[in-house]
Amino acid sequence: MGVMNLLHTAGTAVDASCCVPSDKPVLGIEEAQRKALVFKALADPNRLRLLSIVKAEDSGESCVCDLTEPLDLGQPTVSHHLKILVEAGILHREKRGTWAYYSLVPGVMDDIAGILSAL
Amino acid sequence: MGVMNLLHTAGTAVDASCCVPSDKPVLGIEEAQRKALVFKALADPNRLRLLSIVKAEDSGESCVCDLTEPLDLGQPTVSHHLKILVEAGILHREKRGTWAYYSLVPGVMDDIAGILSAL
DNA sequence: CACCTATATCGATGAATGTCAATCTATGTG
DNA sequence: CACATAGATTGACATTCATCGATATAGGTG
């Protein structure tokens, strides 16, 4: 049996002539879904703007009242976006008295960069 | 006028008692939309898996036929995802003969990490 | 030119998502 | 306790999106 026969008829790859598929492990479905959650949280312009405000704050934290006005969105909508960012592990929420303060989870930007590198 | 009065009545912030809003520039709407496009492209499990396959390939590139099977998706769907990744500037497409080869745009992972840092 | 194959595009459909108005909860204050 | 305020939750609605089947395009081969 020659090489051509091996290439064209061996195993299950009858017509695999374009390139040799790698047998390296592919990112698993569940892991892909977990990682996609982080990027889903970043995949909205208003959520990026929220992050930019929190990040620019000298104190490192912002309350909802400071986040609602500059975005020109309703308060429930901002609350919704903040919840998504918290659930993605990007923002931290701390309630003090009547107000809720949001801050970046320490090192989270590096963590996300690491997800990209480790794809 | 005491400190309390200053805090509660000074300027236009009649009821701004939770915290002092930063006057730093917020990420602009258009820029936020542009940056969100990149994360939108990453916000799908199957697209992350596509990237992991392309990234793991020794040659640095994969053809569509090698990408369709491991994801258990139809060929039009894979083509659709690849288009989104190309339009986001993450993948590069090169057609050679009948086949289309996709490869990571050089340095794109660092670029995305830079978007995060510069939010 | 006729045919085959790899890939892209189109149209439809069901699911997920962003937004708002209304309401609920919890904290602070008279 | 009655009331006011900050923020979260709910339900509805319109839009976007992932997927598929069918079809179109383009390159290769006889």
Side-chain angles (χ1 to χ4, degrees), chain A residues 1-109:
Chain A
M1 189 183 284
V3 170
M4 291 300 290
N5 273 337
L6 277 174
L7 275 178
H8 288 148
T9 64
T12 58
V14 176
D15 54 350
S17 51
C18 55
C19 44
V20 182
S22 163
D23 55 357
K24 291 177 183 175
V26 180
L27 180 63
I29 295 181
E30 293 185 10
E31 201 175 355
Q33 285 174 337
R34 277 193 304 104
K35 293 182 176 180
L37 273 188
V38 177
F39 295 115
K40 271 186 213 286
L42 296 170
D44 179 271
N46 284 319
R47 285 199 287 272
L48 291 183
R49 301 186 81 200
L50 285 175
L51 288 179
S52 89
I53 297 174
V54 173
K55 195 154 172 280
E57 201 70 37
D58 286 327
S59 61
E61 57 184 16
S62 311
C63 62
V64 180
C65 57
D66 283 343
L67 297 169
T68 304
E69 182 211 331
L71 259 65
D72 198 33
L73 288 178
Q75 173 265 319
T77 303
V78 173
S79 237
H80 167 71
H81 285 312
L82 289 170
K83 184 179 185 179
I84 289 175
L85 289 168
V86 168
E87 286 174 345
I90 299 174
L91 283 187
H92 171 250
R93 176 182 186 270
E94 183 186 353
K95 191 163 187 187
R96 291 201 303 270
T98 312
W99 298 285
Y101 292 88
Y102 288 87
S103 55
L104 271 184
V105 168
V108 71
M109 294 309 188

Side-chain angles (χ1 to χ4, degrees), chain B residues 75 79 93 98-99 102:
Chain B
Q75 172 266 318
S79 237
R93 176 182 186 269
T98 311
W99 296 287
Y102 288 86

Side-chain angles (χ1 to χ4, degrees), chain B:
Chain B
M1 188 184 283
V3 172
M4 292 300 291
N5 274 336
L6 276 173
L7 278 177
H8 288 147
T9 63
T12 59
V14 174
D15 54 349
S17 51
C18 56
C19 45
V20 182
S22 164
D23 54 356
K24 291 178 181 174
V26 181
L27 180 63
I29 296 182
E30 293 185 9
E31 200 175 356
Q33 285 174 337
R34 277 194 303 102
K35 293 182 174 179
L37 273 188
V38 177
F39 295 114
K40 272 186 213 282
L42 296 171
D44 180 273
N46 285 319
R47 284 198 288 272
L48 291 182
R49 301 185 81 199
L50 285 174
L51 289 178
S52 89
I53 297 174
V54 173
K55 196 155 171 277
E57 201 70 38
D58 284 329
S59 61
E61 59 183 15
S62 312
C63 63
V64 180
C65 56
D66 283 343
L67 297 170
T68 304
E69 184 211 330
L71 260 65
D72 197 35
L73 288 178
Q75 172 266 318
T77 304
V78 173
S79 237
H80 167 70
H81 286 311
L82 289 170
K83 185 179 185 179
I84 289 175
L85 289 168
V86 168
E87 286 174 345
I90 300 175
L91 284 186
H92 171 250
R93 176 182 186 269
E94 184 186 353
K95 192 163 188 188
R96 292 202 301 269
T98 311
W99 296 287
Y101 294 87
Y102 288 86
S103 56
L104 272 182
V105 167
V108 71
M109 294 310 188
D110 291 338
D111 290 346
I112 298 174
I115 294 179
L116 281 174
S117 311
L119 270 189

